[in-house]
Amino acid sequence: MIRLHTGRLDRIVAMGAHCDDIAIGAGGTLLALCRARPGVRVDALVLTGGGSEREREERAALAAFCPDADLRLTVHKLPDGRLPAHWEEAKAAVEELRARTEPDLVLAPRTDDAHQDHRGLAKLIPTAFRDHLVLGYEIVKWDGDLGRLAVYQPLSPEVAEEKVRLLQEHYPSQRHRPWYDREAFLGLARIRGIECHERYAEAFAVTKLTLNLGG
C-alpha cells in the first residue's frame, strides 16, 4: 500500500446532487480534515432540496461534519431525479462555485455512479475544475454499483463512529429507507478499511492525477 500526502489543504470544495450525499460519501474525510485544520474553508454545493426540510437538515449536518471550518453552503432547488434534464442550471451552479474559490481538493460523486443525478453532477466537475485534485466518493444503494476504488482515506474508529452518529442524528427524513442504517455505513467503511490495512476508511475514485515526484 503506497501512501501519498497532499500539501497544505486550505480550501475544500464538496458537492452533492442531494442533501446527505456529501455526508454519506465523504463525511468521515471532512471530519478528519476539519479537525486537523481548524479554520479550513469548505465551499459546499448541493443541487436539490433548496427551501425544504432537506435543506434544513443539510445545513445542520454539514456544520457538524465540518467543525471549526469556514463553511459556505449553497443549496439549489433543482428537481430530485431530473438533473440530466436541467443540465444548464446545474452547470451554471458548478461554474458559479468555481468562480468564487480555488480549492486544494474537490469531493464529488463518481462519474460511474449508477444514479443519474450523481453521475450527471460528476460529469460536470471537470468542465469547471480542470486542474484540481478531484476525489469521487461512493454512496451505497440498491443499484449495486460499488466497485474497485483506488484511493483511500483511513478513518479512526472514533471518526467512523462519529460519522454514523451524525448521519442518524441529522437526517431524520431518510431513516425510513432500508439501506440507511448503521450496519450499511459502518460495514462499507470496514470493508474499505480492510482494503487499505486500516480498521475503517472511505474510498474514492480518481480520474486524473498528476504527480510531482521530483519536486
Side-chain angles (χ1 to χ4, degrees), residues 153-215:
Q153 170 60 47
L155 304 178
S156 68
E158 175 194 10
V159 167
E161 290 282 358
E162 181 73 356
K163 173 185 175 177
V164 173
R165 186 187 69 78
L166 292 177
L167 285 171
Q168 293 291 342
E169 176 182 344
H170 288 290
Y171 296 104
S173 67
Q174 303 304 297
R175 292 175 190 158
H176 69 284
R177 299 186 181 277
W179 54 267
Y180 197 93
D181 59 33
R182 170 186 169 82
E183 289 179 312
F185 299 133
L186 208 58
L188 180 57
R190 179 69 186 111
I191 291 171
R192 296 313 191 191
I194 291 170
E195 293 173 350
C196 66
H197 300 299
E198 298 285 347
R199 183 66 184 174
Y200 299 107
E202 287 177 339
F204 300 90
V206 60
T207 56
K208 188 179 293 186
L209 177 66
T210 300
L211 300 176
N212 182 15
L213 298 179

Side-chain angles (χ1 to χ4, degrees), residues 11 77 181:
R11 293 192 174 204
K77 298 181 179 180
D181 59 33

Side-chain angles (χ1 to χ4, degrees), residues 40-176:
V40 65
R41 175 168 163 175
V42 179
D43 286 276
L45 171 67
V46 179
L47 294 181
T48 67
S52 70
E53 174 192 2
R54 300 222 61 199
E55 178 179 356
R56 292 189 291 274
E57 289 180 345
E58 186 76 340
R59 292 192 176 279
L62 289 191
F65 275 104
C66 301
D68 299 317
D70 177 9
L71 175 62
R72 308 180 188 193
L73 170 61
T74 301
V75 183
H76 287 273
K77 298 181 179 180
L78 298 183
D80 187 349
R82 299 290 186 272
L83 286 190
H86 294 265
W87 180 267
E88 290 298 328
E89 298 101 311
K91 183 174 175 62
V94 172
E95 291 179 343
E96 179 183 311
L97 172 60
R98 174 67 183 95
R100 64 175 185 264
T101 187
E102 182 65 51
D104 304 303
L105 171 64
V106 177
L107 300 170
R110 296 178 297 129
T111 55
D112 58 350
D113 193 298
H115 193 296
Q116 69 273 12
D117 289 354
H118 302 171
R119 188 170 63 251
L121 173 57
K123 291 181 177 179
L124 281 170
I125 305 307
T127 70
F129 296 89
R130 296 180 177 273
D131 299 305
H132 301 81
L133 175 59
V134 179
L135 299 182
Y137 56 72
E138 59 182 348
I139 296 178
V140 62
K141 50 189 173 299
W142 72 271
D143 304 81
D145 63 352
L146 299 179
R148 297 185 64 180
L149 301 184
V151 180
Y152 299 87
Q153 170 60 47
L155 304 178
S156 68
E158 175 194 10
V159 167
E161 290 282 358
E162 181 73 356
K163 173 185 175 177
V164 173
R165 186 187 69 78
L166 292 177
L167 285 171
Q168 293 291 342
E169 176 182 344
H170 288 290
Y171 296 104
S173 67
Q174 303 304 297
R175 292 175 190 158
H176 69 284

